[in-house]
Amino acid sequence: MIRVGITGQAGFIGQHLYNFLGTKAEQVSRSDFQRDMFDNPEALTDWVASCDVIVHIAAMNRHEDPQVIYDTNVGLVQKLIDACKSAAVTPKIIFSSSTQEEQDNLYGQSKRDGRQLLETWAQEEGGSVTSLLIPNVFGPFGKPFYNSFIATFCHLLNTGGAPEVHQDAEVSLIYVNALVAHFYAAIISEESGVVFKAIEAPYKAKVTEVLQKLEHFKTSYVEQGQVPDISQAFDIDLFNTFTSYIPKDYFPRKFVKHTDNRGAFVEIMRAGTSGQSSYSTTVPGITRGNHYHTRKVERFAVISGKASIKLRKVNTDKVYEYILDGSEPAYVDMPIWYTHNITNIGDEELITLFWINEPYDPADPDTYFESVD
């Protein structure tokens, strides 16, 4: 069992890595990091002593004064080194650097100089440092106007704003799920000493191309209720990023119900991509689910009976609840990294239709069990 700690655990990349490691409980345990530890030398010293591996992600990305960015980031590295020396430990340190090391700006310089400080420490103290040179990262839950232009575009499109392209450059991109897999590989790697790796960007796209895709998602999915074509890896990664910014009060979405003397007709699903459809019956008082997905797109449609659908983002406390009644058929889509369930709260059998964008694969189910409540 490898004891892993993550500085910047609550940040964009940090929270994704922390949650990913939660799916690897047989291989790693997590030593929780608190924001104020860098201001408390004793607490930081105790924390580094509790870790076999430290992933150093904490950093300042933006500030009106670039010198503050430089001083902050290099200062955090120095505090981490000082804590290791104080505790007389040499945990393996994985350093999150940036392709901006190669650019002439103080953020990039802070990453380069911080990496070099850690490499010197490793050489002098007999430690191990793996530095990962990371391209532009995007994914769910990024902070708009801070983490990436994609986060900003998604936020604006889902809150009535109008994204603007100031420079239509081609950008190298990596999805956060792919990035944390690289971190995990470094965590379990037996490589020692000073290691430097440049992470290849799986995607390259112009800013306008990304915006066009996101605008299409808004039109087809948000406005028309249709899942777009997400058969390509880049498209589903962008789609799962986009949907994470949709306000939670967007659901449930009522279907259009057509009724005549023969009965009723409801169109359940229209999609520009392949998937798997199924249905379940649930007796009163029974709950199904209590699991989450990290990549799958899933829809719950209640067509008969009364249901409570609950969602909770992994490692948070807030629970969202939706009440659906088959007399007014409606659906709720399950966001990734939200554990979810459905309960029959009525007096009759509950009938639910399910759609998911990929068939169930027992060898790679992308299904992790965790109670909502």
Side-chain angles (χ1 to χ4, degrees):
M1 184 69 70
I2 305 171
R3 299 172 300 171
V4 182
I6 307 165
T7 69
Q9 175 183 310
F12 169 50
I13 297 174
Q15 67 172 302
H16 277 279
L17 178 57
Y18 184 86
N19 291 341
F20 177 85
L21 295 181
T23 70
K24 305 293 183 181
E26 294 181 358
Q27 290 81 31
V28 302
S29 63
R30 298 172 294 184
S31 182
D32 283 354
F33 177 83
Q34 304 298 325
R35 290 176 182 268
D36 60 359
M37 284 180 174
F38 276 121
D39 298 319
N40 186 332
E42 183 177 346
L44 187 61
T45 298
D46 290 342
W47 180 75
V48 299
S50 74
C51 300
D52 299 313
V53 177
I54 293 172
V55 184
H56 181 50
I57 299 175
M60 177 180 288
N61 295 342
R62 297 179 187 273
H63 192 278
E64 58 185 14
D65 183 354
Q67 189 63 48
V68 172
I69 296 176
Y70 179 89
D71 293 343
T72 298
N73 292 345
V74 174
L76 293 178
V77 171
Q78 190 60 58
K79 287 180 179 181
L80 187 61
I81 291 172
D82 291 344
C84 289
K85 289 181 177 180
S86 178
V89 295
T90 53
K92 179 179 183 178
I93 296 179
I94 300 170
F95 180 59
S96 172
S97 192
S98 167
T99 52
Q100 291 195 46
E101 270 198 30
E102 305 162 358
Q103 299 178 15
D104 185 22
N105 62 65
L106 284 173
Y107 172 74
Q109 291 175 28
S110 75
K111 286 296 188 178
R112 182 198 61 209
D113 293 352
R115 172 174 61 82
Q116 292 173 350
L117 281 173
L118 286 169
E119 291 173 351
T120 299
W121 165 80
Q123 292 164 348
E124 293 177 349
E125 303 293 332
S128 293
V129 171
T130 296
S131 296
L132 302 181
L133 200 68
I134 299 169
N136 296 287
V137 187
F138 73 100
F141 321 127
K143 185 177 179 181
F145 309 103
Y146 188 80
N147 287 128
S148 79
F149 73 94
I150 293 178
T152 302
F153 285 177
C154 290
H155 166 74
L156 290 172
L157 287 170
N158 281 295
T159 55
E164 296 181 0
V165 176
H166 299 289
Q167 184 178 359
D168 191 21
E170 184 177 69
V171 184
S172 298
L173 296 164
I174 186 169
Y175 185 55
V176 68
N177 283 20
L179 175 61
V180 298
H182 284 287
F183 277 117
Y184 181 66
I187 288 168
I188 64 175
S189 172
E190 295 183 358
E191 289 182 297
S192 60
V194 174
V195 179
F196 180 85
K197 292 184 178 180
I199 302 300
E200 184 178 352
Y203 309 128
K204 290 185 178 181
K206 283 193 169 185
V207 175
T208 51
E209 293 173 355
V210 173
L211 180 56
Q212 287 170 1
K213 287 179 180 291
L214 296 175
E215 289 174 334
H216 174 62
F217 294 161
K218 179 182 179 181
T219 300
S220 63
Y221 183 74
V222 176
E223 298 175 0
Q224 300 174 354
Q226 176 176 326
V227 176
D229 181 1
I230 49 175
S231 56
Q232 300 300 312
F234 185 43
D235 292 331
I236 191 169
D237 290 345
L238 268 182
F239 181 75
N240 278 329
T241 301
F242 174 81
T243 57
S244 73
Y245 293 86
I246 295 175
K248 290 295 176 286
D249 59 4
Y250 173 78
F251 293 106
R253 307 299 294 176
K254 291 184 179 180
F255 291 110
V256 177
K257 187 175 182 179
H258 304 276
T259 305
D260 60 22
N261 58 356
R262 298 168 297 176
F265 171 81
V266 174
E267 180 182 294
I268 297 297
M269 186 71 194
R270 184 173 295 194
T273 193
S274 60
Q276 181 182 44
S277 299
S278 57
Y279 82 94
S280 73
T281 62
T282 306
V283 299
I286 296 298
T287 298
R288 293 179 178 272
N290 282 319
H291 61 243
Y292 63 93
H293 309 296
T294 68
R295 67 172 186 267
K296 291 181 176 179
V297 179
E298 186 175 29
R299 174 166 294 184
F300 286 13
V302 172
I303 62 170
S304 180
K306 193 171 184 180
S308 164
I309 295 176
K310 292 182 178 180
L311 313 172
R312 178 179 58 79
K313 186 181 175 185
V314 173
N315 292 317
T316 65
D317 298 324
K318 184 174 178 59
V319 175
Y320 298 90
E321 183 177 23
Y322 305 100
I323 304 300
L324 282 72
D325 193 319
S327 63
E328 295 183 284
Y331 69 89
V332 176
D333 290 348
M334 306 299 120
I336 58 172
W337 292 109
Y338 276 76
T339 186
H340 50 269
N341 64 28
I342 182 168
T343 302
N344 185 343
I345 58 173
D347 299 323
E348 58 185 34
E349 183 180 67
L350 172 68
I351 300 177
T352 310
L353 301 184
F354 303 95
W355 178 88
I356 199 161
N357 71 305
E358 58 180 84
Y360 182 78
D361 179 2
D364 183 21
D366 187 40
T367 301
Y368 302 94
F369 290 92
E370 181 174 326
S371 178
V372 174
D373 296 312

